[in-house]
Amino acid sequence: MASENSPLLAYRLLGEEGVSFPANGAGGPGGAPARKLSTFLGVVVPTVLSMFSIVVFLRIGFVVGHAGLLQALAMLLVAYVILALTVLSVCAIATNGAVRGGGAYFMISRTLGPEVGGSIGLMFYLANVCGCAVSLLGLVEAILDVFGADASGSSGLRVLPQGYGWSLLYGSLLLGLVGGVCTLGAGLYARASFLTFLLVSGSLASVLVSFVAVGPRDIPLAPRPGPNGSSLPPQVGHFTGFNSSTLKANLDAGYAKDYTTGAMMTFASVFAVLFNGCTGIMAGANMSGELKDPSRAIPLGTIVAVAYTFFIYILLFFLSSFTCDRVLLQEDYGFFRAISLWPPLVLVGIYATSLSASMSSLIGASRILHALAQDDLFGVILAPAKVVSRGGNPWGAVLYSWGLVQLVLLAGKLNTLAAVVTVFYLVAYAAVDLSCLSLEWASAPNFRPTFNLFSWHTCLLGVASCLLMMFLISPGAAGGSLLLMGLLSALLTARGGPSSWGYVSQALLFHQVRKYLLRLDVRKDHVKFWRPQLLLLVGNPRGALPLLRLANQLKKGGLYVLGHVTLGDLDSLPSDPVQPQYGAWLSLVDRAQVKAFVDLTLSPSVRQGAQHLLRISGLGGMKPNTLVLGFYDDAAPQDHFLTDPAFSEPADGTQEAGAPALSTLFPPPRAPGSPRALSPQDYVATVADALKMNKNVVLARACGALPPERLSRGSGGTSQPHHVDVWPLNLLRPRGGPGYVDVCGLFLLQMATILGMVPAWHSARLRIFLCLGPREAPGAAEGRLRALLSQLRIRAEVREVVWGEGAASEEPEEEEEGDFVNGRRGDAEAEALACSANALVRAQQGRGRGGPGGPEEGDGEVGPATALTFLYLPRPPADSARYLRYLGLLEILSRDLGPTLLIHGVTPVTCTDL
């Protein structure tokens, strides 16, 4: 079993002493980042700052003023319930094993696989890049509101010129400051974040104290533009101090127009603004590569940060509702400055939160990008992001992200992009919940998180709530993000990704397949739901590719197993030689594009190995009911690997590095005249064994002559018209009457009909040949057969041929089927009969319209050729001494017929009932 990280091997636990144990997968080759951040500095501080952002200073009045206290509390509770559900999933995944760099991307990709993880990781990266730009532009606007030369009002130092170019310059300068801090490493970022945290905490403390210490006051509001461009009369807001009347007036909702946009506010729009400011719960997880103990720090720090911010938001909501009237709340979102004991400290808090949010987004984006580059999911595009400093700081990823943020800054106003950023965050949160849900549903024994305060109910609720919030915030952005995720997943699937991470989808499939296999009761089988379940025995796949694909077409959604017998005795071998061969056979299945399982065994003889496979292949109600073998003749085996385009090695070097060519994994075909692993006697005995075990048998001859379009997965409608001939009677034991309607004959009809359902064989015309008895009038048997075909819903052309006249009267009716080469008929007579039957079949191949015996006299019309012939396979004789004679007669019977399937069915497969 492949695994990305095997602790027993990495730590050499088997017998070595004095080995240092790196914590949670830390350490490794040179250049790995040094894990030195604590829970507080690495998780609590960045998460708190990201969850506060600028909303805590500039949108408290907006939320309470429009929604009222009761609905604002409900919004906050719903938002934090959604966040808490995702936090529970993060905690569960983070405590289930070593968490490396990349945060949420690492958790998602190592659970859902590189296709989904890579697509969501890239979207999460873009969300962080755009979030950094949004924070910087918001900071620029906040600065220009106070210091801009064109700002309205009389307060402030109006020295900074304004305009698009100046805003871009200010944003670029601030981005340079932020990028410089992040480029110098996580240590400097942590210290800068801690300083910012102190500034924000001091600013919030001053605001909280101001609510209590400041007395009632009237606050003049800036005039608002009127409907015709004129200014409305100036309004005055009231800070009443703690007043029950103010609280009572602020309890209910009072939605009005937003003075910044002019749009009418609703519950959904206000909730979206509030939720936008609370989506920073992954800021600490993004620093997983720099944390001393990420498995402990991420859950503990995230929970502490969420609880702390929730308490602050609740406190600010109550204080605002108790002390500020609705006019002040709705008309001045930045009223904290007006009621503060020292207004400049509020400005410091606003600037600090914006700066910290931009730093957190940039360094989080760089860590995600570095993890994506390390996993090599997007090729050379992300190659620069792999560069790290001597101390392990991914400065290449920081510069890469800095350049993208600079491009986003060119867009200027990003109000519409803010909703897209939030939606991208929610996609990542939903993916984390889905990852945890998948692990829980898969019931994998190795999913043992030390954090147990979660269940599949919380995970499922988290997924549903995140998806609901996406469409509530922005339906267009939500649909676009899911479409982008699908396109990126398809791209990564086509490109191919690492297979050693472990896919939870495999665990889920195992869990579900086991459950449904237990419910697949063989005692409830019914003939009307019968389908072929094939076991194809393959000696060397180089010479069996056409048969391999033909069997894939015959399975009709049933089980298909490729079986191979390796000769040997395990007692005399140091190890099992079969297990290393599975990789080559599975690669063969992938390259041939067939839907087959692989089952290999070790046995002293091929016959015993075939018995093993017939008995033990499959599971429960999915076990082979039909054995398929290639025909045993003297034809030289062909190497189809040399001519099949699917097996030609790529000349452009696109083959996976270190992977051996598939042609080197299988031996060359057997040389003509060289000894075989299976004797003719054992070959016939294997057929007899399968029939004794109540298995149907198919012997395939000359399948290599089938044109490639007949074996393709597409439609063969553009090729030349052709026939599929079915002879549902034993040509080596001719007799007339109703003998064609036996189990074996119906099995032939069923298999031919199944082949006609395949798109590549849709253009084939099914012809059924019926032998006339010596005393039977023409047309009688044909009528009965047509009535049967009508009941079986089989469309076919019925041909009558004269065959075996007088032979039936010479044979006793009670003769055993397997004794068709009995002592009454000598070898010469039996061979003559086989030659006659072969000539009869060849005479009908490629013929057009005609009478019972072929074309009418003078007609001479020749129709489409026969592409495949189905022949009745007689039972092998009971006496093993006559096996060689039996095989010789089969060889004569099928000689020069082109692609031929000799079939013997022992189980009923048709039903006329509904």
Side-chain angles (χ1 to χ4, degrees):
M1 182 181 295
S3 62
E4 184 185 15
N5 184 24
S6 179
L8 293 180
L9 297 179
Y11 297 145
R12 300 182 182 177
L13 294 180
L14 304 178
E16 288 198 16
E17 299 179 358
V19 180
S20 62
F21 285 51
N24 294 292
R35 295 178 178 264
K36 56 185 179 182
L37 295 184
S38 63
T39 301
F40 182 74
L41 291 178
V43 181
V44 175
V45 169
T47 304
V48 167
L49 293 176
S50 296
M51 295 188 69
F52 276 156
S53 66
I54 205 169
V55 172
V56 74
F57 289 103
L58 296 182
R59 288 297 180 266
I60 295 296
F62 169 83
V63 175
V64 177
H66 288 285
L69 178 61
L70 296 181
Q71 289 193 18
L73 292 176
M75 291 178 184
L76 189 67
L77 185 62
V78 171
Y80 268 79
V81 166
I82 295 174
L83 297 176
L85 293 173
T86 303
V87 168
L88 295 180
S89 300
V90 171
C91 295
I93 298 176
T95 59
N96 189 54
V99 180
R100 303 180 184 177
Y105 159 69
F106 182 86
M107 299 178 190
I108 297 170
S109 62
R110 268 45 174 191
T111 303
L112 301 181
E115 293 83 5
V116 177
S119 60
I120 295 179
L122 186 61
M123 294 172 62
F124 195 37
Y125 167 74
L126 295 176
N128 278 273
V129 167
C130 295
C132 179
V134 169
S135 299
L136 289 174
L137 288 174
L139 177 56
V140 170
E141 291 180 3
I143 293 175
L144 293 178
D145 282 342
V146 179
F147 301 105
D150 300 334
S152 60
S154 57
S155 61
L157 187 62
R158 312 295 182 178
V159 295
L160 296 179
Q162 293 182 247
Y164 170 77
W166 289 105
S167 297
L168 179 61
L169 175 61
Y170 302 146
S172 300
L173 292 175
L174 292 172
L175 176 59
L177 173 63
V178 171
V181 172
C182 296
T183 303
L184 293 177
L188 181 60
Y189 162 76
R191 289 190 289 271
S193 294
F194 181 64
L195 177 61
T196 306
F197 179 77
L198 293 179
L199 293 174
V200 173
S201 299
S203 181
L204 283 175
S206 73
V207 171
L208 296 175
V209 171
S210 299
F211 276 112
V212 180
V214 174
R217 62 176 64 175
D218 294 337
I219 302 173
L221 304 175
R224 306 299 178 202
N228 299 323
S230 59
S231 296
L232 295 175
Q235 292 182 291
V236 177
H238 302 284
F239 178 78
T240 64
F242 287 93
N243 190 303
S244 59
S245 299
T246 303
L247 174 64
K248 185 177 181 180
N250 288 330
L251 285 179
D252 296 326
Y255 294 106
K257 287 186 177 182
D258 176 17
Y259 71 83
T260 62
T261 63
M264 186 67 185
M265 292 295 99
T266 62
F267 182 92
S269 59
V270 174
F271 184 51
V273 171
L274 173 64
F275 196 83
N276 282 342
C278 304
T279 54
I281 57 174
M282 290 294 183
N286 290 341
M287 300 299 297
S288 58
E290 281 80 13
L291 298 173
K292 292 179 181 177
D293 186 0
S295 293
R296 178 181 180 273
I298 291 176
L300 178 60
T302 306
I303 291 174
V304 169
V306 170
Y308 174 72
T309 55
F310 180 72
F311 173 76
I312 295 298
Y313 275 123
I314 287 283
L315 190 58
L316 290 174
F317 280 3
F318 271 105
L319 292 176
S320 300
S321 301
F322 262 107
T323 59
C324 303
D325 70 349
R326 195 175 293 272
V327 174
L328 177 61
L329 294 175
Q330 289 185 345
E331 298 298 330
D332 186 5
Y333 300 153
F335 71 94
F336 282 176
R337 287 176 56 203
I339 68 170
S340 176
L341 291 172
W342 190 40
L345 192 55
V346 177
L347 285 178
V348 171
I350 294 174
Y351 300 158
T353 53
S354 298
L355 198 62
S356 66
S358 61
M359 281 196 301
S360 176
S361 297
L362 183 60
I363 199 166
S366 65
R367 269 46 182 181
I368 296 171
L369 182 66
H370 180 64
L372 283 166
Q374 289 287 83
D375 291 336
D376 199 25
L377 296 182
F378 293 93
V380 296
I381 299 177
L382 301 184
K386 295 182 180 180
V387 181
V388 296
S389 65
R390 183 176 300 177
N393 181 44
W395 61 268
V398 174
L399 294 180
Y400 202 110
S401 303
W402 174 85
L404 288 181
V405 174
Q406 184 64 61
L407 290 177
V408 177
L409 286 177
L410 295 174
K413 302 293 183 181
L414 292 178
N415 292 332
T416 56
L417 191 58
V420 177
V421 172
T422 303
V423 167
F424 277 13
Y425 279 130
L426 286 172
V427 169
Y429 298 165
V432 172
D433 288 320
L434 181 61
S435 300
C436 190
L437 177 66
S438 302
L439 291 170
E440 181 70 8
W441 273 352
S443 301
N446 281 325
F447 183 58
R448 300 188 298 270
T450 57
F451 181 87
N452 296 316
L453 299 178
F454 77 100
S455 69
W456 68 266
H457 306 84
T458 62
C459 300
L460 184 60
L461 188 58
V463 174
S465 58
C466 286
L467 294 177
L468 177 63
M469 277 305 307
M470 286 167 51
F471 286 94
L472 182 63
I473 292 174
S474 176
S481 65
L482 295 179
L483 178 62
L484 177 60
M485 184 182 69
L487 294 176
L488 290 173
S489 298
L491 173 65
L492 291 174
T493 300
R495 174 174 163 72
S499 59
S500 61
W501 292 356
Y503 293 77
V504 74
S505 59
Q506 296 297 306
L508 286 170
L509 287 173
F510 179 90
H511 185 268
Q512 293 300 108
V513 167
R514 179 194 64 84
K515 180 173 70 175
Y516 287 110
L517 271 177
L518 290 173
R519 297 175 63 180
L520 187 62
D521 192 345
V522 294
R523 296 169 295 183
K524 298 179 181 179
D525 282 347
H526 194 279
V527 63
K528 66 182 178 182
F529 300 120
W530 179 91
R531 66 181 72 230
Q533 305 197 79
L534 309 180
L535 170 63
L536 171 61
L537 287 185
V538 181
N540 189 337
R542 285 178 173 272
L545 274 181
L547 176 56
L548 195 120
R549 291 196 172 105
L550 180 61
N552 185 64
Q553 295 175 330
L554 286 170
K555 70 181 188 303
K556 187 52 181 175
L559 178 68
Y560 180 23
V561 180
L562 294 182
H564 174 73
V565 180
T566 299
L567 298 179
D569 188 354
L570 194 59
D571 291 338
S572 60
L573 297 172
S575 63
D576 184 8
V578 170
Q579 296 302 321
Q581 299 178 25
Y582 271 96
W585 284 87
L586 293 174
S587 298
L588 170 74
V589 169
D590 294 338
R591 194 76 68 87
Q593 295 183 325
V594 297
K595 297 178 181 179
F597 297 95
V598 173
D599 213 343
L600 312 179
T601 189
L602 180 71
S603 179
S605 70
V606 175
R607 179 186 178 186
Q608 291 184 21
Q611 292 176 358
H612 296 166
L613 293 173
L614 282 170
R615 291 186 185 278
I616 66 176
S617 290
L619 194 64
M622 294 187 66
K623 297 184 73 69
N625 56 28
T626 303
L627 174 66
V628 183
L629 296 170
F631 194 78
Y632 198 101
D633 57 17
D634 296 327
Q638 302 178 15
D639 190 352
H640 294 282
F641 278 17
L642 301 178
T643 58
D644 196 302
F647 288 83
S648 59
E649 304 302 333
D652 55 359
T654 57
Q655 183 174 333
E656 185 178 350
L662 190 61
S663 58
T664 64
L665 300 177
F666 296 100
R670 175 182 55 83
S674 60
R676 301 188 178 190
L678 182 65
S679 66
Q681 193 84 8
D682 281 349
Y683 178 82
V684 180
T686 301
V687 175
D689 293 341
L691 295 176
K692 291 177 183 177
M693 298 166 69
N694 204 37
K695 307 291 184 183
N696 310 298
V697 175
V698 177
L699 304 183
R701 185 171 191 181
C703 290
L706 285 170
E709 61 269 16
R710 294 287 162 233
L711 302 175
S712 65
R713 301 176 65 184
S715 174
T718 58
S719 59
Q720 294 296 326
H722 58 286
H723 290 146
V724 173
D725 292 350
V726 182
W727 296 78
L729 71 165
N730 187 353
L731 292 176
L732 294 180
R733 187 183 173 204
R735 60 185 178 185
Y740 64 89
V741 197
D742 64 356
V743 171
C744 184
L746 292 176
F747 188 86
L748 262 74
L749 292 177
Q750 182 80 325
M751 296 300 287
T753 304
I754 288 174
L755 186 65
M757 297 178 180
V758 179
W761 292 86
H762 278 171
S763 60
R765 295 179 58 188
L766 185 62
R767 298 193 304 180
I768 302 175
F769 291 91
L770 183 61
C771 291
L772 286 177
R775 293 180 298 274
E776 190 170 8
E782 180 181 351
R784 292 196 302 270
L785 181 57
R786 289 189 183 279
L788 176 64
L789 294 177
S790 177
Q791 287 183 310
L792 297 177
R793 290 87 61 202
I794 297 176
R795 299 179 61 183
E797 175 187 353
V798 179
R799 293 283 188 93
E800 286 187 339
V801 294
V802 177
W803 170 240
E805 186 174 359
S809 61
E810 299 176 4
E811 292 190 21
E813 294 184 1
E814 65 273 9
E815 182 183 7
E816 292 292 334
E817 185 183 358
D819 293 335
F820 68 96
V821 285
N822 56 68
R824 301 189 182 198
R825 185 181 295 133
D827 289 348
E829 184 181 354
E831 290 181 6
L833 180 63
C835 290
S836 178
N838 174 263
L840 173 68
V841 175
R842 282 192 291 114
Q844 298 298 323
Q845 290 182 343
R847 284 182 176 257
R849 301 181 182 275
E856 295 179 353
E857 184 178 356
D859 189 349
E861 181 184 350
V862 178
T866 298
L868 185 63
T869 302
F870 286 77
L871 294 182
Y872 188 117
L873 174 68
R875 278 183 176 271
D879 185 2
S880 60
R882 289 183 284 177
Y883 281 176
L884 294 181
R885 184 184 180 193
Y886 168 82
L887 185 59
L889 292 177
L890 294 182
E891 195 282 328
I892 296 174
L893 174 64
S894 58
R895 184 182 298 167
D896 299 328
L897 296 183
T900 304
L901 297 181
L902 295 99
I903 300 178
H904 191 97
V906 295
T907 56
V909 295
T910 57
C911 180
T912 58
D913 296 333
L914 182 63

